[in-house]
Amino acid sequence: MLACCTGLLYAQPRPTATQQAWHQQEFYLFMHFGPNTFTGKEWGHGDEKTEVFNPTALDTEQWCRVAKAAGATGIIITAKHHDGFCLWPSAYSTHTVRESKWRNGKGDVLKELSASCRKWGLKFGVYLSPWDRNHPSYGTPAYNDVYANTLKEIFANYGPIWELWWDGANGEGPNGKRQVYDFPRFEKLVRQLSPNTVIFSDIGPDTRWVGNESGIAGTTNWNTLDTAGFQRGQGGPPTDTLNSGNRYGRHWIPAECDVSIRPGWFYHAEEDGKVKSGETLFQLYLKSVGRGANLLLNVPPDTRGLIHENDSAALVGFAQLRQQLDGKRQLAATATLLQHNIKKQVTALLDQDLKTGVQIALPAVSSVALDFAKPTTLNCMLLAEDLRQGQAVAAFTLKLYDDKGELLRSVAGTTIGQKRLLTFAATTASRVVLEITDTNKLPVQLASMQAYLLPAQLVEK
Ligand code: FUL
């Protein structure tokens, strides 16, 4: 009752057009690359000699080919990690590719990657660490000017930049001081330079950290978050809040799940045998994209400047497993909206367009049924909401019946959001009914309801 009353007073946040487009990107690659690739470190101190950065065969075309083969929609690169080394010849640093031996100081990773991404139709994103363990002005107000200038530089030279990634880590710089970042200034600047760039951080404004680095969103995952009183980094919302969002949260800030294909974020040869398998990645897909979040999978280039063979093999395996959820494989059924005595066919629920579907006005009295022409074995259901007017579903139950109307299995869930994948033990049923039992707002816009039979080893563990 309380939820209902709160809901009535609640101004439902909605995604901006940029966020709507972001939700469609679903799965993309993260690439950690820099001096750490060559020194074996995860957090460089910023005092590494620039000569260490010297990839022998760097090829951003190969990165993009692998990303495409994996079915990823973009690449976000560590243009600068905490060690301060810039993968482009920045005018605001003396710790860059220009000072390295790579291509006699004439190379520019951002230039090559942004061009390759454009060519391959991949989104191009940038991680630009605010924490800088090399820059002499770090820890003083002058560093905020440096960081702002750096933003201007990368947006001017390598844009369009689809997503800007603001990491929460903030340690000491070379002079032992911590920086007080002028994030309001940086945010305003990015909006001016590139209004359609998606800004990621613990508190958005456009997309949020999911609260862990294991690629797992909450089974309850609201796209809404309350940010008042919270800061980026150490003053961020509690990790469980980031994991589930806030029901009735004031801002639309959906979750992005970052995780590495290897134990570390950077390439280390000794981890070549520890690359996550296609099946493990599929499990992560169920727990990120299958819970309405986006998946940002880190695949770090090696010391050659190439994606290692083991990583690309795992990615291809992952892509093949995701074909199990290709719309063409959905189990043939008819979809019907059941409302009072009215029955209406809603074939739009069965197509791949997550924007057209059916409006459910009164959840308590209406439900949607999938009917199979003959008893059919399934172990997976895909549900989706059209989020353009906000996120509605707070609780639902899927009921699987046999041809005599006997209930065989109930699967309960909370939020649906952009996409919800539910797996369960294979069940031979004639009908699946979705009952929505709690909502934040009315009406619910259901965009998809599809049944699948996955190989048994793909069921969520
Ligand atoms: C963390 C960083 O400190 C790690 O090095 C890595 O970049 C990860 C994605 O974010 O906060």
Side-chain angles (χ1 to χ4, degrees):
M1 201 53 199
L2 183 65
C4 147
C5 298
T6 321
L8 286 177
L9 299 172
Y10 176 56
Q12 173 69 45
R14 296 178 180 153
T16 61
T18 302
Q19 289 172 317
Q20 283 175 36
W22 176 88
H23 278 292
Q24 313 298 323
Q25 299 310 311
E26 207 170 85
F27 157 57
Y28 32 92
L29 300 187
F30 214 1
M31 292 197 184
H32 277 66
F33 189 53
N36 294 342
T37 310
F38 303 87
T39 58
K41 292 182 194 162
E42 277 291 313
W43 278 9
H45 290 271
D47 56 1
E48 295 74 25
K49 292 210 166 18
T50 47
E51 303 81 283
V52 300
F53 183 83
N54 199 5
T56 48
L58 182 135
D59 182 5
T60 56
E61 292 287 297
Q62 188 251 6
W63 304 1
C64 290
R65 245 190 336 269
V66 171
K68 273 288 184 189
T73 56
I75 297 177
I76 300 181
I77 176 101
T78 52
K80 180 179 80 155
H81 200 251
H82 311 325
D83 57 21
F85 184 83
C86 301
L87 293 182
W88 79 104
S90 175
Y92 304 99
S93 169
T94 54
H95 198 56
T96 80
V97 279
R98 187 186 48 232
E99 286 77 30
S100 77
K101 286 198 174 141
W102 177 56
R103 298 200 184 145
N104 298 319
K106 299 275 182 286
D108 184 340
V109 181
L110 290 197
K111 189 171 171 194
E112 293 189 22
L113 182 59
S114 57
S116 296
C117 283
R118 260 196 305 280
K119 177 175 153 194
W120 288 83
L122 291 162
K123 303 277 185 202
F124 171 66
V126 164
Y127 170 121
L128 191 71
S129 171
W131 183 22
D132 190 319
R133 300 174 103 181
N134 173 269
H135 207 283
S137 71
Y138 189 86
T140 75
Y143 177 77
N144 285 331
D145 297 332
V146 170
Y147 193 82
N149 284 331
T150 309
L151 283 170
K152 286 184 198 154
E153 190 176 47
I154 60 167
F155 277 94
N157 296 329
Y158 310 108
I161 292 174
W162 164 64
E163 181 169 323
L164 175 67
W165 221 86
W166 274 337
D167 185 75
N170 177 358
E172 289 156 5
N175 55 14
K177 291 189 189 143
R178 273 174 201 258
Q179 181 70 27
V180 181
Y181 301 124
D182 193 350
F183 272 119
R185 170 182 173 191
F186 304 154
E187 199 176 310
K188 203 165 143 213
L189 177 65
V190 175
R191 287 290 197 248
Q192 276 163 6
L193 296 170
S194 178
N196 294 327
T197 292
V198 176
I199 303 178
F200 166 98
S201 83
D202 302 291
I203 50 169
D206 300 313
T207 171
R208 73 173 191 265
W209 185 45
V210 75
N212 61 61
E213 291 183 334
S214 38
I216 300 179
T219 49
T220 297
N221 179 19
W222 291 101
N223 291 305
T224 43
L225 188 73
D226 288 321
T227 56
F230 293 117
Q231 312 283 328
R232 297 187 169 90
Q234 275 158 6
T239 50
D240 56 345
T241 302
L242 290 168
N243 201 236
S244 300
N246 292 117
R247 184 176 183 178
Y248 305 121
R250 288 200 52 200
H251 306 283
W252 192 273
I253 310 179
E256 183 184 78
C257 300
D258 59 316
V259 60
S260 186
I261 198 166
R262 290 164 169 258
W265 289 104
F266 285 86
Y267 174 83
H268 309 297
E270 64 274 20
E271 293 178 353
D272 285 350
K274 294 186 179 159
V275 174
K276 291 183 176 66
S277 67
E279 279 187 18
T280 302
L281 295 173
F282 188 85
Q283 287 293 317
L284 288 178
Y285 180 80
L286 291 177
K287 293 174 184 171
S288 54
V289 173
R291 296 179 181 177
N294 277 4
L295 173 59
L296 173 60
L297 177 65
N298 181 61
V299 181
D302 62 17
T303 51
R304 296 170 299 176
L306 297 174
I307 305 299
H308 191 272
E309 293 72 357
N310 294 2
D311 304 50
S312 50
L315 286 170
V316 169
F318 177 38
Q320 279 164 357
L321 295 177
R322 294 203 318 285
Q323 283 171 12
Q324 295 291 335
L325 286 164
D326 187 310
K328 289 188 238 64
R329 287 187 188 243
Q330 70 170 297
L331 301 169
T334 52
T336 313
L337 174 66
L338 311 167
Q339 206 157 3
H340 300 293
N341 295 328
I342 304 165
K343 290 186 181 176
K344 196 171 126 206
Q345 291 264 326
V346 278
T347 41
L349 288 183
L350 304 171
D351 66 27
Q352 296 308 295
D353 180 357
L354 299 185
K355 285 196 183 136
T356 56
V358 58
Q359 210 179 69
I360 302 180
L362 290 165
V365 291
S366 71
S367 52
V368 185
L370 283 191
D371 287 297
F372 305 112
K374 52 180 193 313
T376 297
T377 306
L378 67 149
N379 61 5
C380 177
M381 288 291 301
L382 184 158
L383 303 172
E385 273 182 83
D386 174 349
L387 297 175
R388 283 174 294 177
Q389 301 306 316
Q391 184 175 3
V393 178
F396 65 87
T397 310
L398 282 166
K399 291 182 175 166
L400 281 66
Y401 296 96
D402 70 9
D403 53 0
K404 297 184 188 64
E406 287 288 319
L407 181 65
L408 301 172
R409 179 177 292 282
S410 273
V411 181
T414 53
T415 51
I416 294 180
Q418 173 66 17
K419 195 176 260 189
R420 186 77 178 94
L421 290 165
L422 296 133
T423 64
F424 39 86
T427 307
T428 304
S430 292
R431 164 169 262 212
V432 184
V433 176
L434 169 66
E435 292 175 3
I436 292 169
T437 51
D438 189 11
T439 69
N440 258 21
K441 70 170 191 73
L442 297 171
V444 170
Q445 295 285 347
L446 191 68
S448 204
M449 179 168 170
Q450 300 173 18
Y452 290 88
L453 178 62
L454 306 178
Q457 74 272 20
L458 297 188
V459 167
E460 188 176 320
K461 295 187 178 75

